[in-house]
Amino acid sequence: MELLSPAGNVEKLSYAYAYGADAAYIGLKKFSLRVKADNFYEDEYKKVIALKEKYPGKRLHCALNISFHDEEIDALKQNLDYFRQYPIDCFIVQDIGIVPLLQKEFPKAELHLSTQASCVNSEAVKMYQKLGFKRVVLGREISLDQIKRIKDSVPDMELETFVHGAMCIAYAGRCLMSAYLTGRSAQSGFCSHTCRWNFKLSEDLSKNNENHIITAEEAKKIAQSGSLLLEEEQRPGEFFPVFEGDDFTAILSSKDLRMIEHLADLKATGVDSLKIEGRMKSVYYVAMVTRAYRKALDALEGKLTQEEAAPFIAELENVSHRKSTTGFYYNKKDADETTVGASDSKYQLAAEIGEEVSSEYFEKLYQESQKRYTEYKNNLDQMHPAAREARLKDLEIHTDRKVLPFEKKDGWHMYPCTAVNMIKLEDDVEFVSPEFCSLTAKAGDWEIISSETGLKMNWVCDGHPAVIYTKYSLPDGTLLRTLDPDYIEGQIRDTGR
């Protein structure tokens, strides 16, 4: 089975490939249902080509899955030359109106039907096959038994299904809530995730003001009357009517999908590709979730033992997530269970670690470090004794102002470090990589060095160019994480997702 990971930008695409994805799916500006993801634009096709060369055999899927209006088809036609510069293996579409255009302009690219098309039966699959589709991304409302029946009926059609990530409460993700409440249409890629808001339920007393304990039947009538109102906690005084039908509630926040413990069952259905949701998620999410499913699949295929894969799978708990469900695969009731709050994690990504620097770079930085330290010492020596003493006392108080060169250490390695959160030298940090699960580096086992001056640093954060000097050998794609100081066990913060 293919492992298909999300990539909201070039950086995430790189980590998806590095951490074990067989393929990754991207979006292009204006034509994807995740326009809030960075997506791809300008000359980034050059970086994508380089990544495909670095990871031969990896596939690139491109989502053109919005519902196209005529003016958007015009824009698509105007951008065809730009799209051709990307090494796209297939297009994911829901709007069959653009199918002839793609078949004509990209004859070598496969067509994959988007889950937005709600394909959940074998007769529909046969129809899309006749239209030229190579693969169907099945609707999330389908069961394992139904998937097997479709595969048995149309064995030469590839089937793809979601296995992990956020689920939309609306059928096939066709939600009108965002457009209704915020004016941002989910079907144009602007979903505001209104189903995740924290609502209060109240009653419009102008429609029902009887002051008595109501029965279950009366409660049902009230729910179906349109007299119930929702108030979101960040928007006091703004009331939205709620209507409940026989088998649904208009506004619900679903659990996250998680099928990593059930890959054998998915394989038995004949599924060809396992898809991870999350083009708007972080680099850390893409890397860790991709790695977990890669190891689980490798264990399923006998490439490593279940015991070897277990620590990587357990790391899913250290990635932002809500309570999990198996969705519709086994029982519809599993999908009906809801949850509250945003996704959260006790860890934060602190830095991305690059490939080990060359010996020439290392020596140049070392010489710069020694030069600056010598200049500093000479300046001290030339100071008036009283001024020098005052300077030295100040440095004892403000240790981060000390000028300290790094020293060469046998067996140590140096790597570029792109910080995204604060890293403090006195803290323990953790490295995670495609090869090892996690590695804790104690204070003293690593140093932060300015990549401009070669001098030691007590801390580093976003915008400060630096390198990590450590006794550990780190493989390509390594990330550095730290415990999030704002995380409180048992409490889910509103992270916006």
Side-chain angles (χ1 to χ4, degrees), residues 199-359:
F199 291 96
K200 300 175 184 178
L201 186 64
S202 61
E203 183 183 350
D204 184 348
L205 297 179
S206 66
K207 293 187 178 182
N208 190 324
N209 57 10
E210 295 183 18
N211 186 19
H212 68 275
I213 299 175
I214 62 175
T215 65
E217 186 61 27
E218 288 174 322
K220 183 175 181 180
K221 289 181 179 179
I222 292 173
Q224 295 179 342
S225 69
S227 65
L228 295 180
L229 305 174
L230 283 180
E231 180 185 12
E232 207 276 324
E233 68 176 2
Q234 299 298 322
R235 297 162 177 80
E238 295 184 34
F239 298 98
F240 306 110
V242 179
F243 178 80
E244 179 171 315
D246 290 334
D247 299 310
F248 69 90
T249 300
I251 298 178
L252 292 172
S253 177
S254 62
K255 292 182 178 181
D256 284 356
L257 181 64
R258 172 174 167 145
M259 285 291 289
I260 199 164
E261 290 85 6
H262 309 283
L263 300 186
D265 289 348
L266 283 163
K267 184 176 182 179
T269 68
V271 163
D272 298 278
S273 180
L274 306 180
K275 190 170 193 172
I276 298 169
E277 180 274 340
R279 272 188 290 140
M280 291 173 60
K281 299 290 183 68
S282 67
V283 161
Y284 180 68
Y285 171 94
V286 171
M288 301 301 285
V289 176
T290 297
R291 187 181 70 169
Y293 277 83
R294 176 75 276 149
K295 298 299 183 182
L297 278 171
D298 288 349
L300 181 64
E301 296 169 1
K303 297 178 181 178
L304 71 165
T305 66
Q306 292 290 345
E307 290 74 19
E308 291 171 325
F312 296 94
I313 296 172
E315 282 289 335
L316 286 178
E317 295 300 319
N318 293 325
V319 181
S320 292
H321 65 285
R322 302 179 185 87
K323 292 180 181 179
S324 63
T325 176
T326 54
F328 292 84
Y329 288 121
Y330 295 99
N331 190 318
K332 288 184 179 180
K333 290 182 179 179
D334 295 335
D336 289 340
E337 294 182 3
T338 60
T339 188
V340 296
S343 57
D344 207 356
S345 169
K346 68 177 181 179
Y347 284 104
Q348 62 181 6
L349 178 63
E352 298 170 15
I353 307 300
E355 295 184 31
E356 187 169 2
V357 304
S358 65
S359 57

Side-chain angles (χ1 to χ4, degrees), residues 113-183:
L113 183 71
S114 171
T115 189
Q116 295 288 123
S118 308
C119 186
V120 290
N121 66 75
S122 56
E123 294 305 317
V125 170
K126 293 174 184 177
M127 183 198 73
Y128 285 113
Q129 186 179 47
K130 291 177 181 178
L131 290 176
F133 283 85
K134 177 74 179 296
R135 177 183 297 185
V136 167
V137 187
L138 294 167
R140 298 191 209 190
E141 299 78 18
I142 200 167
S143 70
L144 293 177
D145 289 341
Q146 290 167 337
I147 295 173
K148 188 175 188 308
R149 178 173 174 177
I150 292 173
K151 190 65 175 180
D152 290 342
S153 298
V154 200
D156 52 345
M157 174 65 94
E158 293 182 3
L159 301 181
E160 177 180 306
T161 188
F162 281 90
V163 292
H164 196 91
M167 290 185 67
C168 181
I169 202 66
Y171 194 86
R174 295 199 295 270
C175 179
L176 302 179
M177 280 181 59
S178 180
Y180 175 62
L181 300 183
T182 68

Side-chain angles (χ1 to χ4, degrees), residues 88-100:
I88 295 169
D89 295 296
C90 75
F91 289 101
I92 308 168
V93 302
Q94 66 152 317
D95 192 331
I96 61 173
I98 65 169
V99 167

